[in-house]
Amino acid sequence: MMKTDSRSLAVLALMVTVPTMAAPGPDKRPNILFCIGDDASYHHFSPAGCSWVSTPNIQRVANEGIQFDRCYTPNAKSAPSRSVILTGCYSWQLGEAANHIGYFPEELKVFTEVLSEVGYKVACTGKGWVPGNPGTINGQPRELTGTPYQEHVKVPPTRCINKRDYYRNFETFLSEQDGEQPWFFWFGAHEPHRRYEYGTGVRLGHKKTSDIPEVPVFWPDNEEVRNDLLDYGYEIEYFDTVIGQMLAELERRGELDNTLVIVTADNGMPFPRCKGNDYEYANHMPFYMMWKEGIVHPGRHENSLINFIDLAPTILEIAGTTGEAHGMKAVSGKSFFRILKDRQTRRERQERRELLLGRERNDFGRPHNQGYPIRAIIRDNYLYIWNMKPQLYPAGNPETGYTETGGSPTKTAILELNRKGQERRLWELSFGFRPEYELYDLDRDPYCVNNLIGHPELQSLVEALDRRLKGRLLEEDDPRMEGKGDIFDSYRFDKEEKWNFYERFMNGEIKEAWKMTRWILPSDYERK
């Protein structure tokens, strides 16, 4: 009789106890193409009804799959948001990974590593888990999103679009597969991250500034801002074009039907009061899934609240396993795999009623390396925000250039108006001090500019949301609820030169700070 070791028994047990498409013979579990844009809000894709950004390939994914209309990232900044995706945990549960430009904790296992252990080939092109230091394994850099395929480059349509040829790198990866092993491929576009080549939305995208029906009320409505928006939209369209190339390649190879295609972005648009905040345009994400052999009743809209903490357990369930079975930290998210198989609509069932948001330190630029801690809850389409340190500037200090909002024509327009004593409210909304608590009705006020705190008729609602938020944070072991929150400000940056940046700039040690804060324009720095 053949001897069976403990590992074989574990695999057999998994096949018996966990629903899976894996069976003896060729592995029929689906391939997974995960497409994640860099800094794009839900509102600026064709499926969301945007008239001035055209994304026909992403529209196809929605038409032939599911459009999730209420998906949110709990942390609207690149590295922390990607950490949430990879782990299935809220950022405040992730130690150093809660911060931007930091270190990824060695002890945190991610779902891509689990996929490798259960038989998936895992690879990536473009932007993986960055910016930050992922650490090492066996003396080699840790590859949190799989084996990188970065060899192919090309001349991009603008000087600010990344030179990496995402499609050819994906094609090279596919050509190396034998068809016997399922794969997971992370396509991390650098677009539409700043900077942009000014005017390309008009010149190359063939748009007019008048095509934009409305500029968000927290920015000035002028030609500079409208051009900035069109340039942002042009890079979203570039992201869409690459997705179209990848879908066509999968069709050509006969692999599309059994490939789960996921399209999303890491956080909201890179504009003032958006990315890095906890408002609608910061946290509300595009999210579409297509899987011809796996999704029942394609072409539907799904209105259940989905949180990025749900992605890891969902993907692992589709792969026939769980993270905890392979040493991942217990996730806070819940798999929504059942939605893919469900013909019912949101009106016919009760899904999650609420989700949590929050952030810690995004960039350097405040005294004593401080972040701007926020916790928030969305429930019944009200957004309740707790700014834990309202005495700090939410976008960073003026004298160091408001480092948590990247340089842009829109940012410059707001700062210049404020310096002239004009449109002060626009500066306050993006850069000024905020109250400790904020409340917004997302149905009536999607721009989140009408703070309802203090309205007597809403007092009972505020009290209920406050209890619910703080109770959930206690359940989720948030260090800030235990008086230990300042640990987030003690974590290292990925490079030592960033430590005590504010103090070193103010005492004259750093002369040309904008050479370190390359995403900040020299004109963003206010006079000391």
Side-chain angles (χ1 to χ4, degrees), residues 344-406:
Q344 290 183 316
T345 67
R346 170 67 175 83
R347 291 180 295 278
E348 295 168 328
R349 64 166 180 266
Q350 282 294 321
E351 295 291 346
R352 174 190 279 129
R353 288 191 61 193
E354 66 190 21
L355 51 80
L356 304 183
L357 315 175
R359 55 163 283 187
E360 283 295 335
R361 189 178 67 205
N362 283 344
D363 291 292
F364 52 92
R366 289 192 192 84
H368 313 299
N369 306 297
Q370 292 181 95
Y372 189 81
I374 300 175
R375 300 293 184 268
I377 185 170
I378 294 176
R379 185 177 176 89
D380 299 330
N381 234 30
Y382 279 94
L383 169 61
Y384 178 68
I385 298 174
W386 179 16
N387 297 308
M388 294 179 162
K389 293 189 176 183
Q391 72 276 16
L392 301 179
Y393 285 102
N397 276 53
E399 56 269 36
T400 49
Y402 314 96
T403 53
E404 295 187 1
T405 298

Side-chain angles (χ1 to χ4, degrees), residues 79-306:
S81 182
R82 292 162 191 258
S83 296
V84 168
I85 292 171
L86 289 166
T87 62
C89 296
Y90 289 110
S91 53
W92 52 82
Q93 298 174 317
L94 299 178
E96 292 182 84
N99 290 344
H100 197 54
I101 53 175
Y103 283 76
F104 197 89
E106 181 179 356
E107 68 275 11
L108 286 179
K109 198 170 188 178
V110 297
F111 82 79
T112 47
E113 293 170 329
V114 173
L115 287 178
S116 293
E117 293 176 4
V118 298
Y120 272 74
K121 174 68 175 178
V122 179
C124 68
T125 191
K127 186 173 182 178
W129 181 85
V130 290
N133 189 327
T136 60
I137 291 181
N138 299 323
Q140 298 297 318
R142 190 175 179 188
E143 295 172 346
L144 293 171
T145 53
T147 303
Y149 280 71
Q150 311 284 31
E151 176 184 359
H152 296 292
V153 296
K154 66 178 184 178
V155 178
T158 82
R159 65 177 183 271
C160 294
I161 287 177
N162 195 273
K163 295 180 180 179
R164 190 157 288 122
D165 192 333
Y166 309 118
Y167 162 65
R168 286 193 64 201
N169 288 322
F170 178 56
E171 182 185 39
T172 298
F173 166 78
L174 290 178
S175 68
E176 296 177 0
Q177 309 313 305
D178 57 13
E180 298 296 316
Q181 181 182 18
W183 49 260
F184 173 94
F185 193 87
W186 174 296
F187 160 40
H190 288 262
E191 295 73 34
H193 194 285
R194 290 194 183 274
R195 298 181 179 180
Y196 310 139
E197 185 177 328
Y198 187 79
T200 50
V202 172
R203 180 169 57 86
L204 300 178
H206 309 294
K207 302 291 198 312
K208 301 185 297 293
T209 56
S210 59
D211 291 339
I212 300 173
E214 182 179 58
V215 171
V217 297
F218 40 76
W219 307 324
D221 186 352
N222 58 34
E223 286 298 292
E224 288 75 18
V225 172
R226 285 175 173 265
N227 268 291
D228 203 14
L229 283 167
L230 290 180
D231 296 344
Y232 155 78
Y234 180 75
E235 293 208 359
I236 292 177
E237 293 178 350
Y238 182 82
F239 174 52
D240 178 80
T241 297
V242 178
I243 291 173
Q245 293 174 324
M246 292 181 171
L247 295 179
E249 184 64 25
L250 289 171
E251 278 189 307
R252 188 181 71 81
R253 294 173 180 267
E255 294 189 45
L256 183 60
D257 288 0
N258 194 38
T259 297
L260 168 62
V261 180
I262 300 173
V263 179
T264 188
D266 56 355
N267 49 253
M269 60 195 307
F271 284 70
R273 202 175 167 84
C274 297
K275 172 184 177 179
N277 288 278
D278 275 64
Y279 301 121
E280 169 74 1
Y281 275 63
N283 296 78
H284 193 172
M285 293 290 96
F287 195 79
Y288 314 102
M289 300 179 79
M290 179 175 76
W291 177 17
K292 293 192 176 184
E293 293 183 359
I295 289 177
V296 173
H297 189 47
R300 54 191 159 102
H301 287 248
E302 178 55 54
N303 291 319
S304 296
L305 281 170
I306 300 297

